[in-house]
């Protein structure tokens, strides 16, 4: 399998612009996660889906962030409008189940908002 | 309070020594524990998981779990420069139904 695929790998955008990050999970994985990683806060869970349904979005920082999973093979994380403090690495990840299962991470989307 | 805590390091050890990485967690309902390794500029990858009190060995790696003390550790024997990375501790909470990561400990193995 190709693993978790994310795009874009790198994005530089101006403050106020909309950013859309995309993810294709590993086929057959029922769980999809969006994480954000910064030096200050480490790896933070933003939201996760089970069978395409959002289960826990308590980590989504504010209404500027939204995530969707229209089908089992695709998810998006959108930031609108973007702000410089959103600059971070955004990881998409997937797993077969929650408890005791390996979480497989994509290579990350490196976002810089100037 | 951070749910999973780690010393950020860096932890420096000479090549061939034992590296000891530690982690504490706050949720007593945590059931499963994981160690992920993250090289600079790369994504985290799982190296060990542990579910029961005691030790679990896999090659040069040993994970240790003490649920009474809410403590997890990772020992790396015969440390190699290629082990230099950030090690993330993670815990799965059945109550919260989520996996929480610590901020990671940076390990430097000096040749």
């Amino acid at each position: 399998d190709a693993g978790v695929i994310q795009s874009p790998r790198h994005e530089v955008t101006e403050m106020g612009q909309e950013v859309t990050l995309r993810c294709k999970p590993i086929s057959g994985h029922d769980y999809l996660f969006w994480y954000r990683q910064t030096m200050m806060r480490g790896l933070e869970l933003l939201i996760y889906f089970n069978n395409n349904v959002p289960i826990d979005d308590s980590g989504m920082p504010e209404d500027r962030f939204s995530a969707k999973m229209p089908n089992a093979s695709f998810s998006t994380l959108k930031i609108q409008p973007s702000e410089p403090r959103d600059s971070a690495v955004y990881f998409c990840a997937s797993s077969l189940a929650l408890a005791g299962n390996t979480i497989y991470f994509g290579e990350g989307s490196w976002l810089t908002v100037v | 309070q951070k749910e999973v805590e780690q010393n950020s390091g860096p932890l420096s050890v000479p090549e061939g020594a034992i590296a000891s990485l530690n982690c504490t967690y706050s949720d007593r309902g945590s059931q499963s524990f994981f160690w992920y390794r993250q090289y600079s500029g790369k994504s985290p990858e799982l190296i060990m998981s542990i579910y029961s009190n005691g030790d679990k060995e896999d090659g040069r790696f040993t994970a240790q779990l003490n649920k009474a003390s809410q403590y997890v550790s990772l020992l790396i024997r015969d440390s190699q420069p290629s082990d230099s990375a950030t090690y993330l501790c993670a815990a799965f909470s059945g109550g919260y139904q989520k996996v929480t990561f610590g901020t990671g400990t940076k390990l430097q193995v000096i040749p």
Side-chain angles (χ1 to χ4, degrees):
Chain A
D1 200 309
V4 177
I5 300 172
Q6 292 187 245
S7 65
R9 289 294 316 282
H10 299 272
E11 177 140 352
V12 180
T13 191
E14 292 185 346
M15 183 174 63
Q17 295 299 304
E18 177 178 293
V19 174
T20 299
L21 308 178
R22 298 173 177 81
C23 176
K24 175 179 168 55
I26 294 173
S27 177
H29 282 192
D30 289 337
Y31 287 81
L32 181 139
F33 310 86
W34 282 102
Y35 286 92
R36 177 174 68 177
Q37 188 174 41
T38 61
M39 288 292 292
M40 289 296 294
R41 301 174 66 90
L43 197 62
E44 300 175 282
L45 177 65
L46 300 178
I47 185 171
Y48 78 88
F49 296 82
N50 179 21
N51 292 322
N52 313 338
V53 176
I55 302 300
D56 185 345
D57 65 355
S58 60
M60 296 286 263
E62 49 200 272
D63 291 346
R64 298 184 298 106
F65 286 69
S66 62
K68 294 181 180 180
M69 192 167 186
N71 57 63
S73 59
F74 183 68
S75 177
T76 59
L77 178 68
K78 187 173 293 187
I79 308 172
Q80 167 63 21
S82 58
E83 297 182 3
R85 59 192 169 124
D86 301 330
S87 298
V89 183
Y90 291 82
F91 287 106
C92 177
S94 69
S95 71
L96 282 170
L98 266 185
N101 275 260
T102 303
I103 295 176
Y104 295 88
F105 287 82
E107 293 185 307
S109 292
W110 297 67
L111 174 65
T112 302
V113 183
V114 298
Chain B
Q1 179 187 356
K2 186 75 176 177
E3 296 171 18
V4 177
E5 297 207 28
Q6 299 179 253
N7 187 317
S8 62
L11 172 66
S12 294
V13 300
E15 183 175 354
I18 296 175
S20 177
L21 305 164
N22 305 312
C23 168
T24 59
Y25 59 95
S26 60
D27 180 10
R28 283 196 172 274
S30 296
Q31 302 168 337
S32 314
F33 304 88
F34 310 88
W35 283 99
Y36 284 76
R37 178 177 60 201
Q38 185 175 22
Y39 291 114
S40 180
K42 301 296 185 181
S43 58
E45 56 179 349
L46 181 73
I47 53 172
M48 289 283 290
S49 58
I50 186 166
Y51 314 111
S52 305
N53 278 330
D55 296 358
K56 179 181 177 182
E57 188 173 317
D58 183 2
R60 296 187 296 112
F61 298 93
T62 299
Q64 299 175 318
L65 173 61
N66 183 327
K67 289 187 177 181
S69 301
Q70 296 176 241
Y71 181 88
V72 191
S73 65
L74 179 70
L75 301 178
I76 306 175
R77 291 181 299 281
D78 188 24
S79 296
Q80 300 298 309
S82 59
D83 295 326
S84 298
T86 296
Y87 289 80
L88 302 170
C89 174
F92 169 72
S93 167
Y96 293 104
Q97 285 291 299
K98 65 195 297 183
V99 176
T100 302
F101 284 81
T103 52
T105 298
K106 186 173 183 177
L107 172 67
Q108 296 176 339
V109 180
I110 312 300

